[in-house]
């Protein structure tokens, strides 16, 4: 009977998992406020009312939803009909058109709570200012954003009503759009503190030495790398460049020439019968990569990603290209682009000098290759690396928090149903891109950061939502929560706490396989 239901389900629904649809999550929140699924920390997500009938098993859940990763067809149509976002205004502020996203402020590697919550001046609440500054967004404590009067679909009365409500509520400071991707001391960010300047000086001193002490560099990188020195630090920690300063330029020049030699040798074969399916899948997946960040929708950027992924795929036939690898290019590309432009999110890559574009592309390829060399079993046939990591996560959570583990068992939630994506994409679909970059600072500083330490980060990430998880009393509510965790407001402070908890778990459990085991 279950088999028949599954067959009928797929026959009834034209959309199937993996089809080209918008992906929602930390990086990709819905544009329509009706579709919003982000919640403040102090409130419970009420997923129980999503469907009138509670689903108690995976197959019942499958019958009641089109796809656990997507929203309804009608909502997709609303999403696709939403106007394109406005990137910038003459006044220097940045905004998005109809996108109800929470704005957050990242002050650097370690942010101050008082700075983040500092209210704007009372002049900012004046309605005339809102009319003149059409790019300003105001956000109150519950995470709802009141958009400026430049949005054509908002009439005058609705704006006035919203502003009157806002006057009685605390308001967060306005953050430039670029701060959502480039977190540390980008345009509009606060000036560096004395401690941040001291850390930056220490990094510069290490990097300027004739032979960089990589162990000391890892030690300082664990708590975050200053934006100014992040590109060269990532190249060193990934193993792309040598510690010897005199050899770096020579090695970098040789590796860049080698990459473009691969392009000349292999890229023309993308239309061959043997490789056309690989290229087709890459070509389909590229537009899905951070679809709401305009930078990744630029044709020049998409062409770079296509070349990087295709060359990597044909040079690694054991795995080839697997969906999810496309996400792993983005942090490297953004970090190396930030070396040449300050306003990363709104930069026009095609306007950069050709040599600069080629250098960014080649460096992104080699650093991504170094990363994938350590986790390639995640992408070989049947993806055994991911299967093993998910099982390890299940075993670890059963020892860390038995209540959560038993709660999943009670409502028949399998770890594979939510943690597969955590391992396949290294939490990139669960966290904003700025948080991923900060997370990777630590991963590159850790021994086996992308493999062993990532397991403890996933465990800490799951335990972070303990209260919300235990409040869900049905299968559907649990799965929807776990696949749409409200992290849109996260910044360096939250990632720092997550990493600290992961380190504590690693210290307690890594070398004690029977610790707390029942």
């Amino acid at each position: 009977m279950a088999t028949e239901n599954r067959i009928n389900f797929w026959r009834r629904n034209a959309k199937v998992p993996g089809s080209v649809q918008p992906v929602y999550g930390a990086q990709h929140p819905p544009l329509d406020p009706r579709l919003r699924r982000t919640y403040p920390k102090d409130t419970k997500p009420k997923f129980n009312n999503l469907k009138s009938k509670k689903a108690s098993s995976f197959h019942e859940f499958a019958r009641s939803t089109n796809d656990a990763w997507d929203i309804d067809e009608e909502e997709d149509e609303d999403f696709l009909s939403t106007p394109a976002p406005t990137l910038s205004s003459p006044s220097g502020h940045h905004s998005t058109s109809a996108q109800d996203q929470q704005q957050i402020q990242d002050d650097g590697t370690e942010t101050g709570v008082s700075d983040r919550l500092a209210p704007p001046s009372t002049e900012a609440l004046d309605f005339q200012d809102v009319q003149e500054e059409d790019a300003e967004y105001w956000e109150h404590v519950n995470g709802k954003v009141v958009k400026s009067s430049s949005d054509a679909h908002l009439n005058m009365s609705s704006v006035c009503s919203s502003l009157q409500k806002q006057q009685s509520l605390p308001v967060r400071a306005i953050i430039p759009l670029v701060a959502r991707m480039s977190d540390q001391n980008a345009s509009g960010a606060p000036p560096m503190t004395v401690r941040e300047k001291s850390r930056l000086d220490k990094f510069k001193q290490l990097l300027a030495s004739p032979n960089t002490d990589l162990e000391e560099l890892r030690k300082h990188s664990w708590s975050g790398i200053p934006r100014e020195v992040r590109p060269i630090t990532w190249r060193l920690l990934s193993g792309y460049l040598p510690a010897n300063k005199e050899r770096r330029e020579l090695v970098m020049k040789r590796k860049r020439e080698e990459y473009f030699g691969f392009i000349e040798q292999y890229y023309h074969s993308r239309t061959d019968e043997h490789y056309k399916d690989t290229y087709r899948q890459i070509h389909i997946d590229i537009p899905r990569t951070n679809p709401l960040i305009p930078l990744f929708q630029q044709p020049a950027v998409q062409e770079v990603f296509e070349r990087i992924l295709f060359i990597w795929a044909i040079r690694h036939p054991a795995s080839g290209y697997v969906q999810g690898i496309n996400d792993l290019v983005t942090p490297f590309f953004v970090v190396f682009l930030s070396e040449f432009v300050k306003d990363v999110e709104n930069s026009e890559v095609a306007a950069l000098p050709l040599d600069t574009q080629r250098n960014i592309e080649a460096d992104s390829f080699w650093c991504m290759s170094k990363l994938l060399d350590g986790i390639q079993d995640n992408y070989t046939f049947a993806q055994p690396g991911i299967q093993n990591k998910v099982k390890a996560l299940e075993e670890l959570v059963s020892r860390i928090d038995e209540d959560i583990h038993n709660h999943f068992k009670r409502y028949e939630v399998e770890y594979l149903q939510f943690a597969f994506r955590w391992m396949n994409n290294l939490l990139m679909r669960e966290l904003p891109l700025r948080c991923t970059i900060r997370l990777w600072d630590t991963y590159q500083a850790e021994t086996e950061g992308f493999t062993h330490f990532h397991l403890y980060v996933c465990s800490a990430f799951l335990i972070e939502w303990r209260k919300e998880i235990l409040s869900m009393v049905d299968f559907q509510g649990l799965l929807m929560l776990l696949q749409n965790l409200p992290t849109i407001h996260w910044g360096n402070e939250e990632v720092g706490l997550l990493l600290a908890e992961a380190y504590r778990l690693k210290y307690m459990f890594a070398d004690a396989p029977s610790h707390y085991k029942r």
Side-chain angles (χ1 to χ4, degrees), residues 221-391:
S221 300
W222 204 98
S223 56
I225 303 170
R227 181 176 185 267
E228 292 82 354
V229 294
R230 184 177 274 143
I232 182 62
T233 305
W234 275 28
R235 291 185 185 106
L236 287 166
L237 294 181
S238 66
Y240 171 43
L241 290 184
N244 185 276
K245 187 178 180 181
E246 292 182 356
R247 293 181 54 227
R248 287 176 198 164
E249 282 299 322
L250 184 62
V251 169
M252 198 150 49
K253 181 180 178 182
R254 177 173 57 81
K255 298 296 281 186
R256 287 168 177 173
E257 290 175 353
E258 184 179 353
Y259 168 71
F260 284 100
F262 293 152
I263 296 291
E264 294 178 7
Q265 184 177 357
Y266 298 120
Y267 194 59
H268 64 84
S269 65
R270 65 190 182 278
T271 55
D272 293 354
E273 186 68 25
H274 186 63
Y275 295 122
K276 68 178 184 180
D277 288 341
T278 297
Y279 179 73
R280 177 182 173 277
Q281 188 60 58
I282 292 171
H283 190 71
I284 290 173
D285 286 348
I286 293 300
R288 302 177 183 177
T289 307
N290 299 286
L292 296 185
I293 298 179
L295 171 69
F296 298 109
Q297 304 310 308
Q298 295 179 23
V301 175
Q302 294 188 353
E303 289 170 8
V304 166
F305 278 39
E306 283 184 3
R307 288 193 292 269
I308 290 174
L309 294 170
F310 182 76
I311 296 301
W312 187 89
I314 63 175
R315 294 189 72 244
H316 295 81
S319 61
Y321 172 75
V322 177
Q323 286 179 302
I325 295 178
N326 55 306
D327 285 328
L328 304 184
V329 186
T330 56
F332 293 114
F333 184 82
V334 169
V335 167
F336 297 143
L337 177 63
S338 70
E339 200 171 14
F340 303 97
V341 295
K342 288 185 177 180
D343 193 349
V344 176
E345 190 162 322
N346 297 314
S347 62
E348 186 66 38
V349 174
L352 294 172
L354 182 59
D355 285 345
T356 298
Q357 296 181 45
R358 289 166 62 90
N359 293 343
I360 293 171
E361 178 177 346
D363 292 354
S364 299
F365 169 81
W366 286 116
C367 288
M368 185 199 74
S369 297
K370 292 288 186 181
L371 163 61
L372 288 172
D373 285 347
I375 58 172
Q376 192 170 354
D377 62 341
N378 284 7
Y379 306 106
T380 53
F381 178 72
Q383 299 182 271
I386 292 179
Q387 302 278 350
N388 293 335
K389 289 182 178 70
V390 171
K391 289 300 293 182

Side-chain angles (χ1 to χ4, degrees), residues 37 52 60 70 88 154 160 162 174 220 223 235 250 309-311 313 326 372 424 426 508:
R37 289 198 181 98
S52 58
E60 289 184 23
D70 294 311
S88 62
L154 289 178
C160 291
S162 299
I174 304 168
H220 285 82
S223 56
R235 291 185 185 106
L250 184 62
L309 294 170
F310 182 76
I311 296 301
N326 55 306
L372 288 172
N424 190 59
L426 299 177
M508 292 177 63

Side-chain angles (χ1 to χ4, degrees), residues 157-171:
S157 61
S158 64
V159 174
C160 291
S161 173
S162 299
L163 289 172
Q164 288 171 358
K165 292 178 182 178
Q166 285 297 91
Q167 288 177 351
S168 62
L169 295 171
V171 183

